[in-house]
Amino acid sequence: MEPDARATGPARARVATAHRSGDPAVLTQARTDRPHTPSQPAPAQPDLTDVRTEPGGAADELGPVRVESSPIGPIVRPTDPTDLVILYLHGDRHLSGTPESALDLAERLALRTGAVVVCPRYRSSFPGALDDVHAVYDSCRARGPVALAGERLGGGLAASLLVRLRDMGAAAPQCAVLGSALLDLTLDAPSLLFNAAAEPSFDVDELRLRAALYAAGTEPTNPLLSPLHANLHGLPPVQLLVAGTDPLLDDSLGFAARAARSGVTVDLRVREDAERLRPEAVAAMAGFILAWTRSEGSSRPA
């Protein structure tokens, strides 16, 4: 479910604007956000109040959004946000990318839900990546109810975070949305081979190489690395979105089946191919999130 229709999202004018730092107003210069490599240290302790605003006009009747740069990554804020926070974890078929690649989807999701959408950076190997998103999740929870969402590797991280929080006895998010999620790093699902022809750019050998680098020596069946192998009892409601031609199809099908058998509320949506999935993905995500997180003051349609 990669958001390839990026040009149709809300337009953004990238400008730095003044914000308060103590008493005087200061102009903060734009800064390039770089993805973390395995050798890089963990990001600074999350602080969602340390932001730089990048206002932009929105191609949507619901109103404009504002993109804020922060030490943890971009934060998308609608004009009149509710108390809901969506933690959106980016990902692509190459197990790489940056939060900026998810901004157009995040903006449309913010407009649909009225939520503040946080798109964090995370390190490029396990378990540092999971530690990073866990820290940001804890920071988001201090602001209000949280929904979790992610795509590809980000979807797998979202599921792993659900399992870790459950195992720790920590408060879970209200719900989670997993889009074309990589949930099993053993990479032995039949769909990886059967559906490869439907995506000419997909290279299973490259995926195996990148998955090994991400795992960083961790056993592929480790439930926090491959949540398809985890005990799924006690998880919050989960929506899975995937195309029938996706090489990762079996990850979503297997996770949905195991979660349902474990008593988890599951909304599995499989569309014929990616072209049919993309146009409805944001509306489906927003509708599911609002159904499970409806908060006072929220008036955004699903």
Side-chain angles (χ1 to χ4, degrees), residues 109-132:
L109 197 55
L111 288 169
R112 287 262 181 181
T113 61
V116 173
V117 182
V118 178
C119 304
R121 288 183 292 275
Y122 54 82
R123 281 172 282 179
S124 58
S125 64
F126 182 86
L130 182 57
D131 293 339
D132 293 344

Side-chain angles (χ1 to χ4, degrees), residues 262-281:
S262 299
V264 177
T265 298
V266 176
D267 178 12
L268 171 65
R269 303 194 183 196
V270 182
R271 295 299 178 259
E272 182 178 350
D273 53 35
E275 293 303 318
R276 288 167 175 78
L277 179 63
R278 288 190 195 104
E280 62 181 80

Side-chain angles (χ1 to χ4, degrees), residues 53-270:
T53 305
E54 300 172 343
D60 195 298
E61 68 276 10
L62 297 178
V65 294
R66 194 169 70 242
V67 178
E68 300 169 345
S69 297
S70 80
I72 64 170
I75 299 173
V76 180
R77 194 183 305 274
T79 300
D80 184 22
T82 68
D83 58 351
L84 173 63
V85 179
I86 298 174
L87 179 58
Y88 190 89
L89 308 180
H90 67 277
D92 63 19
R93 72 188 64 190
H94 303 297
L95 310 192
S96 59
T98 67
E100 287 73 19
S101 66
L103 276 179
D104 288 307
L105 187 151
E107 290 173 10
R108 294 196 296 273
L109 197 55
L111 288 169
R112 287 262 181 181
T113 61
V116 173
V117 182
V118 178
C119 304
R121 288 183 292 275
Y122 54 82
R123 281 172 282 179
S124 58
S125 64
F126 182 86
L130 182 57
D131 293 339
D132 293 344
V133 299
H134 190 172
V136 177
Y137 170 77
D138 286 343
S139 183
C140 289
R141 279 201 66 244
R143 299 173 60 87
V146 178
L148 192 58
E151 182 177 5
R152 299 289 187 177
L153 178 59
L157 269 175
S160 295
L161 181 57
L162 296 181
V163 173
R164 175 188 270 190
L165 293 170
R166 189 274 320 278
D167 289 349
M168 294 176 61
Q174 304 297 305
C175 63
V177 178
L178 313 179
S180 300
L182 176 59
L183 299 163
D184 182 8
L185 267 74
T186 66
L187 301 178
D188 58 6
S191 62
L192 285 172
L193 298 178
F194 294 157
N195 287 347
E199 293 195 26
S201 62
F202 177 78
D203 185 333
V204 67
D205 291 329
E206 180 186 10
L207 178 61
R208 293 186 191 283
L209 174 61
R210 290 180 178 270
L213 292 174
Y214 174 76
T218 303
E219 180 65 33
T221 55
N222 183 306
L224 291 181
L225 178 66
S226 297
L228 182 60
H229 296 271
N231 173 358
L232 302 182
H233 286 85
L235 299 189
V238 177
Q239 181 184 67
L240 297 105
L241 305 174
V242 67
T245 57
D246 194 325
L248 297 179
L249 171 65
D250 286 348
D251 285 35
S252 291
L253 297 182
F255 190 91
R258 294 195 64 244
R261 287 195 296 268
S262 299
V264 177
T265 298
V266 176
D267 178 12
L268 171 65
R269 303 194 183 196
V270 182

